[in-house]
Structure formats: structure tokens, C-alpha cells
Amino acid sequence: MTDSHTTTAGADWQAWQESWDRQQEWYMPDREERFRVMLDMVEALVGTAPRVLDLACGTGSITARLLDRFPEATSTGVDLDPALLAIAEGTFAGDERVTFVTADLKDPGWATQLPHDSYDAVLTATALHWLHREPLADLYGHLAGLVREGGVFMNADHMIDETTPRINAAERAQRHAHMDRAKERGALDWSEWWQLAAKDPVLAGPTARRFEIYGEHADGDMPSPAWHARVLREAGFAEARPVWCSPSDTLLLALK
């Protein structure tokens, strides 16, 4: 099922996937490591054939790695971005293990559009920082109702501890110095990647619609791991803590 989207012949979806990965890795050189730990914990807690909700799925980065490692898994990808969903749908066209749904996570009824009413795991990466604290807390409440007992939610994202300003400043300076050097070697940033998408004959239309929806970039929040863990417990998860971190990002796991 691809909801309201259609895939178009003529696009090299794998090339777009790889281009997206390289652009994201410019910001997060350890991106694959967080995916590896995420899937390690999926296996540890819900096994190797899970029903997964890929939340704010984008191009399907999590789904691709999930199915490569666990061929018996199934995935529902949900997002609002028409351009990234076009890439995802083109990539997974014909794979009956994958379903895509177009939905706005800020809409209280978004979960009613899903094909299942419960999931073994809900996974998301580098996406929920687009939300402010209040809608994010509301979303966590919805997720507590979607994750089965014994199931997991994992969020890998920018999570800033504001009690350590000097550490934060040093980390940011170091990270941006590395990014500047990579840029000199030809790395694409977010804006440049979207400029390429806007010129592609297949993605131009979805990209224009995407910017009508989001604008240049959403102005969300990046609260600390402790905030995420507390709010997830208050939402109904039994346990919650980081299971991986870098100097700037955290993979936080909540167990129902």
C-alpha cells in the first residue's frame, strides 16, 4: 500500500537513497553505528521477525537496514514529506513486507491510518527534533498505546543537556570543524541536496509540495535524554534510558 502516492518510472531510487545517506552522514558520521545498536536492541527485546513502525520514515533508511538484517520483519513507514516518501516508495516498490502511510504526526488521529493497531517496535531517527516539547509529549502518549506489552520504542536524535554549556560548545565547534573539512572535499549539505531534488524531473513536484508543507526547516526542540526518558515513563512505558550516545546525539530506548 502506498496511500496517495504513485511511483514514477525513470528515477534511480537507489542513487537517491545513497545520496541521502551521504548527506545525512555529513551531519552524523556515526549514523550507521546508531542504526546497528538500534537493531541490536530490536533483536534483544522483540526478536528477528518484528512488526515495526518506521516513524517519520523519510526515505526508509531504518526500514532498509531492518529488512537487510531481519528478512522476516515487516515495516510500516509513516511520514508527511512527499519527496522523501516518493524515494521510499520507489525503493521498496513490490516488497510486500513494507507499507507506507502519509500522515502528520501532529494530527491527533494520525495513528488511525495505520494498517495495524499495535507494533513490536516503533523506531525513529533524526526526525522528532522537528517537534516542540508539547506535541512531542503528546506523540509519546500515542506511541505508548501503539507499542505492545514488552515492545520497544527507540528514538535516535539530537538531545542537548543544557546543564553542560561548555562541553556542548566544545563539541559543537569540533563537529563543525570536521563538517567544514568534509564540505571542502565536496560533501553536500541539506540545502544543496534539496536543490538537486528540485531539479530532478521526477522529484521536482513532490519537492515543491514538501516546501509548501514544511518551509525551509521546522523550529522544534532538542530536550535532554533525561527529559525524553521521564516523559516516556509518564506516557506509560515501564523503562527508558539511553542505550547509545555520541557527543551530540543519543539513542534512547523505552520498554513497554
Side-chain angles (χ1 to χ4, degrees), residues 40-93:
D40 281 350
M41 298 311 296
V42 166
E43 182 173 4
L45 288 163
V46 297
T48 60
R51 175 191 290 170
V52 170
L53 177 61
D54 187 348
L55 192 72
C57 64
T59 67
S61 296
I62 290 174
T63 292
R65 289 153 180 80
L66 172 79
L67 298 181
D68 184 58
R69 178 159 167 179
F70 306 128
E72 295 181 19
T74 60
S75 177
T76 303
V78 60
D79 208 303
L80 187 61
D81 189 314
L84 298 185
L85 277 173
I87 296 172
E89 291 169 345
T91 299
F92 297 98

Side-chain angles (χ1 to χ4, degrees), residues 2 11 20 26 32 35 50 96 100 110 128-129 133 150 157 177 181-183 190 207 214 221 226 231 254:
T2 59
W20 177 259
W26 180 64
E32 292 300 329
F35 286 143
E96 296 182 353
F100 290 106
W110 70 269
L128 300 189
H129 65 273
R133 282 173 172 80
D157 210 343
R181 289 193 290 272
K183 197 81 165 59
W190 168 270
T207 297
Y214 291 108
D221 292 331
V231 172

Side-chain angles (χ1 to χ4, degrees), residues 16 19 188 191-201 203 207:
W16 277 111
S19 175
L188 288 178
S191 177
E192 290 167 333
W193 190 90
W194 281 110
Q195 289 171 23
L196 289 177
K199 296 175 182 176
D200 183 88
L203 289 178
T207 297

Side-chain angles (χ1 to χ4, degrees), residues 68-171:
D68 184 58
R69 178 159 167 179
F70 306 128
E72 295 181 19
T74 60
S75 177
T76 303
V78 60
D79 208 303
L80 187 61
D81 189 314
L84 298 185
L85 277 173
I87 296 172
E89 291 169 345
T91 299
F92 297 98
D95 192 331
E96 296 182 353
R97 298 171 296 176
V98 184
T99 300
F100 290 106
V101 174
T102 302
D104 184 349
L105 297 180
K106 291 184 284 188
D107 179 349
W110 70 269
T112 63
Q113 301 179 60
L114 300 176
H116 308 290
D117 57 12
S118 71
Y119 288 85
D120 301 309
V122 177
L123 309 177
T124 188
T126 327
L128 300 189
H129 65 273
W130 283 55
L131 299 177
H132 289 288
R133 282 173 172 80
E134 185 174 344
L136 182 55
D138 289 342
L139 176 63
Y140 282 172
H142 286 295
L143 296 181
L146 278 174
V147 176
R148 67 163 173 82
E149 291 297 317
V152 298
F153 165 67
M154 279 184 270
N155 179 14
D157 210 343
H158 313 306
M159 299 184 188
I160 298 174
D161 186 340
E162 295 178 353
T163 68
T164 60
R166 289 187 297 162
I167 295 172
N168 298 348
E171 181 281 320

